[in-house]
């Protein structure tokens, strides 16, 4: 393979990697505060993209995206308030079934309201054919938008968790929920916040990559599986791990296309998932948290 | 300050506390002694709202708290130092203490937090030295001090301590009891659960004996210290041996 082609695959991999990374990080935010694996995470990405496309018919692009993120955050809060909040110490299995149920519900609602058609936002700058040449590789400006957004999300989350009072409360809640309550922290509200946050970043990522990857009512399930793979691979609970793992899975997939028919692309991440669960349940960078989930 | 009337509590099908009634007056150190599994921890967790009372009522500082959530009870001024310390292991010592001050921020008493932090560092100088260390890497005794300090940062009216001496070396245990006494002298009411019944009764004003979820005995600390049943069951004195020496 020539170097140029390798780089081209790499860029493609990084683009998909962005969305996997963000979905993985979303899994982690909710897992850390609640111990719940939220399989509706992929639907937030779908909702973000689809809502933005609809809003863009009426308002300029930045407003449409902001609106879509806000709507999706509200959806996240609604999911938490209706399906999670009133449960006292639910089992892991029960939570998984509930979140899968929620994801099916959201998907069907999306099918009813938007139909089956595939949509996309316009390119933020330029169009499908415009490209920048970086070191001999042609890169769509949208790829740079995606990567920049991913960086922005990571920096924002880092700042939020390390340097704000609310972020500190969420870390405390993740470390020890009872002790957090004993400090007078309203832990239930933090659970809502974790759903709102991960819905928000999922929606934002869903908007930014949609010009390249397209979006449709049914993209959520695949993304949830990949995001889950990424979260486990990075070590459940570790956001930085998820970002690294997201790009790794994205790039692996992109290169697999050069070796196998494209139809097998999705099988890659499932194979990776199974391999980790068998060989290294705590993930590449992680500790015992993932192993706990497996036995729970 | 605190009053429990006929409180029942438990987990699932298991009832642990049966019609427990007790009270703590302002300024007192009240201790609860009882064997392993008697329900001491459950009792404190019920007061803190971490376990729901199934019957009876709890009144704290004149407010009915039976159905309140933990964070509301803490905001009213009732703090628990839980069994096994439960510090925020992946966070710095200082962050742990500031989290303890959460209700102070919520009360709009932000300006007092710096002074409270100094007070806690004064009580536990080792915490000041370790301010930037991760709490999980502290020794057991240091973690216990941190857990107590964290609870004090909330400026509680009543602080409940669940076995603060558990697993600590005798010298550290002495320190901890000294600190509890000092906290009480500085105006905070104390409810203390201890395996180490003798030391607890020595600093306490009153005590209750909990047996399989029921209060079976109560009295002033002196009464309990000199009670033969208490001596035999909880103070570890071998009465037969004493009698033999006496005769
Ligand atoms: N989370 C729980 N779920 C079910 N049962 C529990 C739970 N916590 C405690 N128990 C049971 O409740 C009973 C009382 O436990 P508790 O922890 O209150 O005792 P304790 O007096 O604090 O004992 P120790 O001195 O050993 O700390 C025990 O039989 C225990 O097995
Ligand atoms: Mg106990």
């Amino acid at each position: 393979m020539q170097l140029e082609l390798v780089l081209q695959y790499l860029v493609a991999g990084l683009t998909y990697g962005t969305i996997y990374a963000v979905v993985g990080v979303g899994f982690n935010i909710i897992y850390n505060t609640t111990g719940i694996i939220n399989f509706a995470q992929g639907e937030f990405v779908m909702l973000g993209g689809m809502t933005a496309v609809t809003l863009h018919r009426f308002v300029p692009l930045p407003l449409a995206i902001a609106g879509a993120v806000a709507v999706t955050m509200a959806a996240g809060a609604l999911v938490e308030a209706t399906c999670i909040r009133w449960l006292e110490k639910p089992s892991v299995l029960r939570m998984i079934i509930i979140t899968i149920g929620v994801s099916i519900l959201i998907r069907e609602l999306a099918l009813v309201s938007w139909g089956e058609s595939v949509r996309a936002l316009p390119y933020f700058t330029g169009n499908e054919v415009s490209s920048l040449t970086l070191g001999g590789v042609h890169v769509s400006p949208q790829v740079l938008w995606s990567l920049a957004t991913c960086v922005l999300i990571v920096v924002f989350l880092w700042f939020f968790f390390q340097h704000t009072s609310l972020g500190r409360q969420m870390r405390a809640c993740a470390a020890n929920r009872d002790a957090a309550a004993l400090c007078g922290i309203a832990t239930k509200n933090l659970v809502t916040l974790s759903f709102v946050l991960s819905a928000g970043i999922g929606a934002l990522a869903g908007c930014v990559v949609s010009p390249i990857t397209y979006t449709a009512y049914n993209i959520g399930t695949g993304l949830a599986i990949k995001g889950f793979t990424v979260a486990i691979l990075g070590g459940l609970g570790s956001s930085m791990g998820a970002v690294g793992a997201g790009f790794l899975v994205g790039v692996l997939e992109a290169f697999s296309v050069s070796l196998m028919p494209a139809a097998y692309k999705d099988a890659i991440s499932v194979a990776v998932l199974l391999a980790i669960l068998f060989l290294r349940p705590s993930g590449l960078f992680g500790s015992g948290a993932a192993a706990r989930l497996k036995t729970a | 300050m605190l009053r429990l009337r006929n409180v029942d509590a438990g987990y699932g099908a298991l009832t642990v506390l049966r019609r427990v009634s007790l009270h703590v007056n302002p300024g007192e150190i009240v201790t609860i002694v009882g064997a392993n599994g008697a329900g001491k921890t459950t009792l404190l967790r019920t007061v803190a709202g971490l376990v729901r009372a199934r019957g009876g009522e709890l009144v704290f500082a004149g407010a009915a708290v039976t159905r309140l959530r933990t964070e509301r009870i803490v905001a009213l001024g009732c703090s628990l130092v839980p069994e096994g310390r439960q510090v925020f292991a992946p966070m710095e010592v200082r962050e742990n203490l500031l989290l303890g001050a959460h209700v102070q921020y919520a009360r709009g008493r932000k300006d007092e937090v710096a002074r409270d932090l100094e007070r806690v560092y004064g009580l536990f100088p080792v915490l000041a030295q370790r301010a930037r260390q991760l709490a999980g890497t502290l020794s057991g005794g240091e973690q216990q001090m941190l857990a107590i300090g964290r609870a004090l940062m909330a400026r509680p009216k009543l602080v409940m301590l669940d076995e603060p001496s558990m697993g600590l070396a005798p010298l550290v245990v002495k320190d901890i009891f000294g600190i509890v006494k000092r906290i009480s002298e500085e105006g905070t009411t104390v409810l203390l659960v201890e395996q180490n019944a003798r030391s607890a009764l020595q600093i306490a004003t009153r005590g209750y004996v909990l047996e399989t979820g029921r209060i079976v005995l109560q009295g002033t600390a002196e009464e309990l210290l000199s009670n033969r049943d208490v001596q035999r069951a909880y103070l570890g004195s071998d009465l037969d041996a004493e009698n033999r020496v006496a005769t």
Side-chain angles (χ1 to χ4, degrees):
Chain A
M1 227 191 300
Q2 315 130 277
L3 180 66
E4 210 171 282
L5 200 57
V6 171
L7 289 175
Q8 210 74 58
Y9 279 128
L10 196 65
V11 168
L14 290 181
T15 312
Y16 279 90
T18 305
I19 193 113
Y20 301 161
V22 171
V23 176
V25 169
F27 266 111
N28 281 332
I29 292 175
I30 293 182
Y31 175 78
N32 274 341
T33 37
T34 62
I36 296 170
I37 297 291
N38 171 31
F39 281 99
Q41 194 60 38
E43 311 312 325
F44 293 148
V45 176
M46 178 273 290
L47 268 185
M50 299 294 269
T51 312
V53 172
T54 302
L55 289 178
H56 187 42
R57 276 197 234 132
F58 311 104
V59 295
L61 189 60
L63 266 183
I65 293 175
V69 169
V71 166
T72 311
M73 284 168 122
L78 190 70
V79 166
E80 198 277 337
T82 53
C83 304
I84 312 286
R85 182 170 266 260
W86 51 274
L87 298 170
E88 292 278 340
K89 306 213 162 74
S91 70
V92 170
L93 187 62
R94 191 162 163 213
M95 285 324 312
I96 288 176
I97 291 170
I98 288 178
T99 61
I100 289 177
V102 167
S103 91
I104 294 173
L105 185 71
I106 296 178
R107 196 180 327 140
E108 293 306 312
L109 286 175
L111 178 60
V112 171
S113 23
W114 285 300
E116 291 182 10
S117 62
V118 170
R119 293 147 199 254
L121 285 173
Y123 280 68
F124 290 10
T125 42
N127 53 40
E128 304 85 87
V129 291
S130 56
S131 71
L132 305 164
T133 310
L134 296 174
V137 208
H138 300 293
V139 182
S140 159
Q142 196 64 32
V143 170
L144 299 184
W145 277 107
S146 306
L147 290 175
T149 306
C150 186
V151 170
L152 193 78
I153 288 174
V154 169
V155 170
F156 164 78
L157 289 177
W158 169 82
F159 182 82
F160 174 76
F161 281 111
Q162 296 301 323
H163 294 286
T164 69
S165 159
L166 216 51
R168 188 190 279 149
Q169 289 171 41
M170 284 184 79
R171 279 189 296 138
C173 189
N176 189 328
R177 202 151 161 202
D178 277 354
L182 286 173
C183 288
I185 293 167
T187 51
K188 293 230 169 186
N189 295 347
L190 293 188
V191 173
T192 314
L193 181 64
S194 72
F195 272 80
V196 169
L197 255 187
S198 61
I201 62 170
L204 182 60
C207 292
V208 179
V209 299
S210 80
I212 309 174
T213 64
Y214 300 106
T215 184
Y217 81 99
N218 61 356
I219 63 163
T221 318
L223 284 177
I225 292 174
K226 281 176 193 161
F228 182 57
T229 307
V230 161
I232 298 274
L233 183 61
L236 207 50
S238 153
S239 287
M240 284 303 152
V243 173
F247 287 120
L248 193 67
V249 170
V251 169
L252 268 181
E253 271 189 16
F255 279 100
S256 78
V257 176
S258 67
L259 305 172
M260 291 182 275
Y264 287 112
K265 203 178 85 170
D266 287 345
I268 293 291
S269 59
V270 175
V272 170
L273 176 61
L274 290 177
I276 327 161
L277 288 179
F278 283 127
L279 300 177
R280 214 180 135 66
S282 55
L284 285 187
F285 319 105
S287 52
R292 258 208 329 267
L293 176 82
K294 256 189 53 175
T295 54
Chain B
M1 175 75 48
L2 174 70
R3 180 175 289 279
L4 280 71
R5 273 197 209 99
N6 296 328
V7 169
D8 291 322
Y11 310 89
L14 175 73
T15 303
V16 177
L17 299 181
R18 295 159 201 275
R19 304 182 70 79
V20 169
S21 299
L22 58 80
H23 67 276
V24 181
N25 297 320
E28 281 189 313
I29 300 182
V30 171
T31 184
I32 299 169
V33 294
N36 293 119
K40 305 180 296 295
T41 299
T42 306
L43 176 57
L44 296 194
R45 288 174 64 86
T46 307
V47 175
L50 291 168
V51 172
R52 278 274 148 261
R54 291 172 178 169
E57 58 172 346
L58 293 112
V59 178
F60 175 75
V65 296
T66 321
R67 312 239 164 275
L68 285 193
R69 274 204 244 121
T70 302
E71 63 261 22
R72 297 281 310 119
I73 295 173
V74 176
L76 284 174
C78 175
S79 286
L80 169 66
V81 181
E83 186 173 57
R85 294 135 205 169
Q86 318 274 349
V87 297
F88 301 116
M91 304 177 77
E92 290 172 1
V93 167
R94 192 165 171 278
E95 283 184 307
N96 269 267
L97 292 172
L98 291 178
L99 280 161
H102 178 76
V103 292
Q104 282 288 86
Y105 288 105
R107 287 174 190 140
R109 302 256 188 81
K110 202 169 130 189
D111 38 316
E112 291 176 17
V113 173
R115 203 160 7 107
D116 291 347
L117 196 61
E118 286 314 309
R119 172 172 170 239
V120 169
Y121 285 155
L123 281 173
F124 306 107
V126 65
L127 295 183
Q129 291 159 25
R130 302 293 159 86
R132 296 269 159 203
Q133 194 172 320
L134 296 186
T137 64
L138 295 176
S139 78
E142 289 162 354
Q143 289 191 17
Q144 186 63 59
M145 296 177 198
L146 179 56
I148 297 175
R150 186 180 62 189
L152 292 181
M153 290 299 290
R155 282 278 187 106
K157 298 187 185 108
L158 170 73
V159 63
M160 304 186 286
L161 299 122
D162 195 348
E163 308 214 14
S165 76
M166 188 167 53
L168 304 183
L171 259 171
V172 187
V173 171
K174 219 170 146 237
D175 281 355
I176 297 275
F177 276 105
I179 294 288
V180 172
K181 196 134 189 264
R182 206 166 135 195
I183 292 169
S184 154
E185 282 160 7
E186 288 175 11
T188 309
T189 309
V190 176
L191 180 56
L192 176 64
V193 161
E194 259 297 329
Q195 287 291 324
N196 201 331
R198 184 183 300 278
S199 311
L201 283 169
Q202 272 161 3
I203 61 167
T205 35
R206 285 189 307 116
Y208 291 86
V209 177
L210 191 66
E211 242 169 50
T212 56
R214 295 172 206 273
I215 300 283
V216 293
L217 202 60
Q218 55 176 304
T220 64
E222 294 79 40
E223 281 165 11
L224 292 179
L225 275 170
S226 56
N227 181 297
R228 294 214 153 198
D229 293 331
V230 174
Q231 285 180 349
R232 193 174 294 124
Y234 305 107
L235 301 178
S237 50
D238 189 339
L239 286 178
D240 293 341
E242 270 177 37
N243 291 340
R244 233 174 291 130
V245 173
T247 49

